[in-house]
Amino acid sequence: MNSRRPCIGGNWKMNTRLEDALLLARSVAEGVDTIDDCVDVVVYPPFPWITHVADVLSGSRVALGAQDVSSHGDGAYTGQISAGMLLDSGCTKVLVGHSERRHGLGESNSLLNEKALAALESGLEVMLCIGETLEERDSGRTNEVVATQVAECLSGVEAGSMARMTIAYEPVWAIGTGRTAEPGDAQEVHAGIRTQLADLYDAPIAAGMRILYGGSMKPGNAGELLEQADIDGGLIGGASLDSDEFLSIINATMTQGSAD
Ligand code: 13P
């Protein structure tokens, strides 16, 4: 780790029923209360539970985010949810570009760019998810794919908004598969993203940007990933559904050095 404040996010995806969601949120909030205040924690529950989870998290150190947002403001967009609605529901954060939306639902970089801009414009903090498929990795195109995602998704995002942006590098082949990127391989991609941010913006913005790793991060492998110089936390899927596992990953941020 390094001087950037670490962040651990729990993406619950389309999991939990209301009762499970409330129990999980309560356990995470209680657990985080017992941990030193030197890590940011956020959970991203399914949409219907957001206001309920907001009540449980109220007064806790756990922030609330949504898993997606519309690129549009309020209007005739059946089934979509605007950034303003998320804010009214208690969210301060939102995921944009998760691979299950890119690859499962065909969301393009240009649509994700519009979503990021709409979310930032409304005041939400954005976690922009990027990552290559196995085929792209095997054909040696990881850096090119990731760089294109970063450039196209951040198009038009002003330097002044970058403090409300976090990037999550999630190699698609590592999500939900039990296969994790080798810490050194992930570090290389993270360092490349940081260099690109320095080119697109400037060195202080690049140095301050938190770049999280996601993809089968578990208590057993979190430590070696988090100790990489450019890995500033994790976006957790499966292991975030178990409060003990999630808290154990949060705790792993404490055991890493704090200077680079
Ligand atoms: P897993 O931790 O289940 O691999 O999911 C990662 C992820 O997609 C987080 O957004």
Side-chain angles (χ1 to χ4, degrees):
M1 292 293 266
N2 46 63
S3 55
R4 290 174 291 275
R5 185 176 161 96
C7 176
I8 300 291
N11 176 7
W12 297 357
K13 307 191 178 182
M14 199 171 73
N15 291 298
T16 68
R17 287 304 160 100
L18 180 55
E19 199 182 335
D20 314 319
L22 299 182
L23 279 173
L24 179 55
R26 195 164 295 120
S27 310
V28 170
E30 285 171 2
V32 167
D33 260 4
T34 68
I35 294 174
D36 288 349
D37 188 6
C38 46
V39 51
D40 288 336
V41 179
V42 50
V43 293
Y44 300 88
F47 284 126
W49 310 157
I50 282 177
T51 50
H52 302 273
V53 171
D55 287 342
V56 174
L57 297 182
S58 168
S60 83
R61 275 184 24 227
V62 181
L64 183 60
Q67 298 173 16
D68 182 42
V69 63
S70 176
S71 59
H72 302 287
D74 297 349
Y77 302 102
T78 302
Q80 298 197 42
I81 296 173
S82 71
M85 291 171 182
L86 295 181
L87 285 162
D88 284 355
S89 307
C91 289
T92 55
K93 299 171 188 277
V94 68
L95 298 180
V96 169
H98 193 279
S99 77
E100 286 149 15
R101 300 198 64 89
R102 286 177 184 274
H103 300 290
L105 298 170
E107 295 194 352
S108 65
N109 286 334
S110 97
L111 173 63
L112 298 171
N113 175 235
E114 287 173 22
K115 289 187 174 196
L117 289 169
L120 290 168
E121 166 84 6
S122 74
L124 286 166
E125 294 174 32
V126 171
M127 174 95 69
L128 173 66
C129 304
I130 54 174
E132 82 286 4
T133 62
L134 186 57
E135 190 196 344
E136 288 162 344
R137 168 157 286 256
D138 286 346
S139 58
R141 296 177 51 228
T142 297
N143 292 339
E144 171 201 330
V145 168
V146 166
T148 302
Q149 290 173 335
V150 169
E152 294 187 358
C153 293
L154 291 183
S155 173
V157 175
E158 290 176 3
S161 299
M162 289 300 276
R164 284 186 290 117
M165 174 70 68
T166 305
I167 291 179
Y169 168 59
E170 302 200 292
V172 179
W173 48 270
I175 294 177
T177 59
R179 261 185 86 182
T180 318
E182 288 300 321
D185 291 345
Q187 161 59 25
E188 207 179 302
V189 178
H190 283 230
I193 295 167
R194 205 176 296 290
T195 303
Q196 184 185 8
L197 291 173
D199 289 345
L200 290 174
Y201 293 92
D202 59 28
I205 286 178
M209 176 63 58
R210 291 187 294 191
I211 306 175
L212 277 47
Y213 169 83
S216 299
M217 194 188 264
K218 311 266 184 236
N221 60 25
E224 57 181 358
L225 287 158
L226 293 169
E227 75 187 10
Q228 302 298 314
D230 288 290
I231 299 186
D232 307 314
L235 184 56
I236 321 300
S240 73
L241 297 171
D242 178 315
S243 57
D244 288 341
E245 290 199 12
F246 190 55
L247 289 163
S248 159
I249 295 172
I250 295 166
N251 264 306
T253 63
M254 309 285 157
T255 54
Q256 309 306 318
S258 62
D260 62 353

